[in-house]
Amino acid sequence: MAQSDRSRLAEDPYPTVAAEELRLSEERFRLLVSSVRDYAIFMLDPDGRVSSWNEGAQRIKGYTAADIIGRHFSQFYPPEDLEAGKPAMELEVALAEGRFEDEGWRVRKDGTMFWANVIITALFDSEGQHVGFAKVTRDLTERRRAEVERLQLAQEQAGRAAAEAALKVREEFLSAAAHELKTPITSLRMFAQLATRQLERTGEVDADLVARTLRGIDQHSAKLASLVDQLLDIARFENGRLSINRQEADLVEIVRGVVDRARPTTTHHVLSVSAPPSVPWPVDALRIEQVVTNLVNNAIKYSPVGGDVRVEINPLPAGEVEVAVVDQGIGVAPEHREHIFERFYQVSTSDYYAGMGLGLYISHEIVELHGGTLRAEYPAAGGSRFIVTLPAH
Amino acid sequence: MTSVEVPELEILVVDDDEGIRESISLALRLEGYRVCTATNGQEALDVLDGALPPKLILLDMVMPIMDGWGFAKAYRLRQGPRAPVVVFTAAWNAAIRAAEIGADEYIAKPIDLADLVELVGRYVPRVT
């Protein structure tokens, strides 16, 4: 403060100066509040009726001071908030805690809504008497709209990414399926072409070559047919159209049949069955046969140097039966173990487990449709043990 | 199984699929080539061990024990003369697969026999 002001203050009689200063200060404060445009700043009496109004309040809410002073502030609230008793609750909280803050929809004079940040402060005089509330309201509609748009955009982007990922999985699956189908087709074409070439070159094909090529064509068209069946099964799973018809059948007979048919396909594996004489069980015999065939074929395929492939049937005490296919093969690398029953898993890897995906996924689904489980164990000594557990009911 | 008793390797066919091994080796034998087979990369390396290099290796990519990538890597590290490697694959990106392992050429599955005979003829003088 400058020296001249100090001397002026010292010279003037104190009460008059104080009253004038106070009047000036209140006038400046009133001007400040009334001219703020970005905030609605107004006062409520202890009952919630509007007792002052600023330019910001008029701009945001649309009422002039003449329109609104003396009216209850609850008219700024949408019907559902009124029904819930929100205005009264807000004043109660402000009174009890000194302050209440909220964000929500409020209603303008013209009935349109805006998104408001509201702070209500309880006001007390120097004796501690409650004299009303100060209310500061900001219009955050634009900010909220931007936030909602940002959120929607993010959701749309996530949705698009998920759709693209699903499409990619499907494309990769089709590509992997085509890849699988090409292997038997390659053999079929080679057998057919080599016989044709021989015939064209020499005018005849010897009986031995005819026998070999026809056997090859028969074998590999069967493989092709089984791949197509697998693809059809997958389509049926996807549509929920694969149904299981459970009737009592002898599991031992089913398993022995599978093993007997697999025996001629290998020269360097010893296939065996370890089971009680008969285990009648309510199953879809054809589908369970498909599962056991898949597991036995995998056991042979994934033990390329040969060894024992054993199928065990163990009735369990809890009214369940376990069918386990055990091999001494290459097992499954730890990083693939949790994925081998997943649909389409074969497409996500470029290594040799690639071809396993379809059959295991289908087997898993069939066993689940029976109310059972299919899981795999990897003994420390090597190889794999695929275990089907089927309930009696 | 491996025909390790073949005295001089001419063409080595490496594929885990029995049908493909059988049909290709039969077709090439009918063309007058001496062919032996291996079911995976490791078996192929074993066949090549201690023998003169064949005139051509036909290599599948996706196989158990040791795949085509593994074989190509191990084979490149070998001392002495090496045979040209032609990749045969059902992958749509056969050219990329072949380039990945530094193969000399590729042939896409399903294989056309006339194409195969033409390709083999370029690498291996016909035995008549």
Side-chain angles (χ1 to χ4, degrees):
Chain A
M1 196 183 283
Q3 182 61 43
S4 60
D5 291 339
R6 269 194 204 155
S7 51
R8 188 168 55 83
L9 283 172
E11 283 161 17
D12 284 351
Y14 178 74
T16 318
V17 173
E20 180 58 13
E21 285 285 315
L22 189 61
R23 196 190 61 76
L24 281 171
S25 162
E26 280 188 351
E27 178 59 18
R28 280 196 298 270
F29 186 68
R30 196 189 59 75
L31 267 171
L32 167 73
V33 169
S34 68
S35 57
V36 166
R37 285 180 50 83
D38 293 330
Y39 292 79
I41 303 172
F42 55 98
M43 288 176 57
L44 305 175
D45 68 17
D47 297 327
R49 277 187 295 273
V50 177
S51 59
S52 78
W53 201 243
N54 78 335
E55 198 179 328
Q58 181 170 338
R59 195 183 63 83
I60 292 173
K61 296 183 188 271
Y63 296 95
T64 62
D67 289 334
I68 200 71
I69 287 182
R71 291 169 69 180
H72 200 264
F73 86 115
S74 59
Q75 71 187 89
F76 306 139
Y77 289 76
E80 59 274 18
D81 284 354
L82 292 177
E83 220 166 273
K86 207 171 169 198
M89 181 275 292
E90 291 184 2
L91 294 187
E92 274 168 34
V93 174
L95 194 57
E97 296 174 12
R99 184 178 188 278
F100 172 85
E101 182 166 359
D102 181 37
E103 273 196 18
W105 291 110
R106 296 293 185 273
V107 187
R108 292 193 188 96
K109 184 185 178 187
D110 64 7
T112 58
M113 309 277 265
F114 68 101
W115 186 260
N117 169 272
V118 176
I119 297 171
I120 303 174
T121 310
L123 299 176
F124 300 91
D125 66 13
S126 53
E127 267 90 55
Q129 189 73 33
H130 176 224
V131 293
F133 300 91
K135 199 162 184 258
V136 179
T137 301
R138 270 188 297 162
D139 181 353
L140 300 181
T141 311
E142 277 308 310
R143 190 202 286 181
R144 182 175 163 83
R145 185 176 298 149
E147 271 171 19
V148 168
E149 274 173 15
R150 216 172 22 248
L151 202 68
Q152 278 173 345
L153 195 68
Q155 279 171 347
E156 277 171 22
Q157 280 170 343
R160 224 175 5 252
E164 278 167 11
L167 199 66
K168 188 163 177 277
V169 165
R170 193 156 285 271
E171 278 171 7
E172 284 176 349
F173 169 71
L174 285 174
S175 142
H179 184 275
E180 288 274 305
L181 294 173
K182 276 185 186 176
T183 299
I185 290 173
T186 298
S187 302
L188 283 175
R189 285 198 65 194
M190 287 306 284
F191 282 120
Q193 288 182 40
L194 69 88
T196 310
R197 196 176 167 90
Q198 190 71 1
L199 185 64
E200 281 169 359
R201 181 177 294 166
T202 64
E204 58 183 36
V205 188
D206 70 63
D208 180 49
L209 187 66
V210 170
R212 282 179 80 175
T213 53
L214 289 181
R215 205 168 44 240
I217 287 168
D218 179 49
Q219 214 174 357
H220 296 285
S221 54
K223 193 171 154 189
L224 192 57
S226 120
L227 282 171
V228 171
D229 282 343
Q230 287 190 335
L231 292 175
L232 288 174
D233 278 348
I234 285 183
R236 288 191 195 108
F237 286 133
E238 293 213 329
N239 301 329
R241 278 195 282 119
L242 193 129
S243 57
I244 292 292
N245 178 21
R246 293 174 76 182
Q247 286 182 348
E248 193 164 285
D250 185 2
L251 284 178
V252 180
E253 199 181 309
I254 294 172
V255 166
R256 287 200 188 280
V258 171
V259 168
D260 288 345
R261 277 188 295 280
R263 241 179 227 120
T265 67
T266 174
T267 52
H268 50 298
H269 295 84
V270 179
L271 274 60
S272 63
V273 178
S274 154
S278 91
V279 177
W281 214 259
V283 290
D284 186 319
L286 284 176
R287 287 295 178 183
I288 290 299
E289 182 186 300
Q290 184 184 350
V291 170
V292 179
T293 303
N294 174 248
L295 295 179
V296 168
N297 287 346
N298 275 347
I300 293 171
K301 186 171 167 188
Y302 294 94
S303 40
V305 293
D308 292 334
V309 173
R310 193 173 68 252
V311 188
E312 299 168 358
I313 303 177
N314 307 310
L316 301 177
E320 291 177 320
V321 67
E322 195 180 84
V323 180
V325 179
V326 189
D327 67 56
Q328 300 170 309
I330 56 176
V332 175
E335 65 268 28
H336 296 297
R337 289 178 183 175
E338 62 174 308
H339 300 293
I340 56 172
F341 300 113
E342 283 173 17
R343 175 181 55 168
F344 302 158
Y345 181 62
Q346 77 284 0
V347 304
S348 59
T349 167
S350 64
D351 71 23
Y352 190 63
Y353 301 102
M356 272 174 97
L358 279 183
L360 278 183
Y361 167 67
I362 292 168
S363 298
H364 188 256
E365 296 300 299
I366 290 173
V367 173
E368 293 223 317
L369 283 173
H370 279 81
T373 58
L374 171 57
R375 64 182 205 282
E377 289 174 357
Y378 308 97
S384 314
R385 184 183 168 89
F386 283 83
I387 305 149
V388 176
T389 307
L390 295 169
H393 301 288
Chain B
M1 296 301 294
T2 319
S3 317
V4 279
E5 69 277 11
V6 171
E8 190 197 339
L9 303 184
E10 207 166 39
I11 299 168
L12 175 60
V13 177
V14 192
D15 197 311
D16 63 308
D17 186 82
E18 184 260 334
I20 290 180
R21 282 198 311 276
E22 193 198 343
S23 58
I24 287 184
S25 52
L26 183 58
L28 293 178
R29 279 181 194 130
L30 286 171
E31 296 298 314
Y33 294 108
R34 288 194 301 278
V35 184
C36 76
T37 61
T39 61
N40 62 66
Q42 185 57 56
E43 210 176 287
L45 289 174
D46 294 345
V47 169
L48 293 165
D49 251 347
L52 283 171
K55 297 198 171 68
L56 179 65
I57 298 171
L58 290 172
L59 180 70
D60 183 29
M61 295 303 289
V62 181
M63 294 178 291
I65 317 285
M66 183 189 276
D67 61 19
W69 289 269
F71 170 81
K73 202 171 152 191
Y75 191 52
R76 264 202 304 275
L77 294 173
R78 293 210 158 180
Q79 301 293 319
R82 285 191 299 269
V85 173
V86 170
V87 162
F88 59 135
T89 172
W92 59 272
N93 53 355
I96 297 168
R97 289 275 169 99
E100 272 172 5
I101 65 157
D104 294 80
E105 208 169 325
Y106 70 90
I107 185 160
K109 291 180 189 172
I111 297 163
D112 186 88
L113 182 57
D115 291 346
L116 178 70
V117 169
E118 185 274 326
L119 179 142
V120 170
R122 279 191 276 118
Y123 289 91
V124 191
R126 188 183 293 267
V127 179
T128 45

